[in-house]
Amino acid sequence: MTITALGPRRATGRTITEQFHAFDARNPHVYRALERMAARRLAASATWVSLKDLFEDLRRQLPHGVAGLNNNFTALYARRLIDDHPHWAGAFELRRRRAA
């Protein structure tokens, strides 16, 4: 891995954010599933939702998994969920981003 002005680059030459956007564009069903799962948990009185837990649940639910569902994407999905559902902001723990 090398560090550039845009953040860390993997062997693919793309930042995690670039990889996330490419994955998300190819797999819009992943976001919709995470959104439904988060909504169900919050409707069942959960006060906190772990995207890592949602990822693992999603992997178990899909018969052949999701190729490319990278744990590096959890924070980006959490931020997207909060962008789309600002009233969920308190349900996700976010840390300051160190990389692009």
Side-chain angles (χ1 to χ4, degrees):
M1 173 173 52
T2 60
I3 304 292
T4 69
L6 296 175
R9 293 199 178 267
R10 305 292 181 223
T12 63
R14 298 183 305 171
T15 65
I16 291 170
T17 301
E18 291 166 339
Q19 292 172 50
F20 167 76
H21 288 299
F23 175 84
D24 187 48
R26 288 188 315 272
N27 299 282
H29 62 283
V30 169
Y31 175 76
R32 289 190 307 271
L34 293 170
E35 186 177 41
R36 279 191 308 272
M37 294 163 72
R40 267 189 242 123
R41 289 191 185 185
L42 293 168
S45 300
T47 57
W48 183 78
V49 177
S50 164
L51 253 290
K52 295 262 188 202
D53 287 345
L54 294 183
F55 263 43
E56 293 309 317
D57 288 349
L58 185 60
R59 287 180 174 124
R60 282 188 292 274
Q61 289 175 16
L62 298 174
H64 302 290
V66 178
L69 183 57
N70 187 326
N71 284 342
N72 290 335
F73 299 160
T74 57
L76 295 163
Y77 274 118
R79 284 178 169 76
R80 182 170 172 204
L81 286 167
I82 291 169
D83 285 346
D84 291 347
H85 305 276
H87 55 286
W88 290 357
F92 298 96
E93 179 183 345
L94 296 179
R95 296 184 182 121
R96 187 181 63 80
R97 289 190 66 196
R98 293 179 293 183

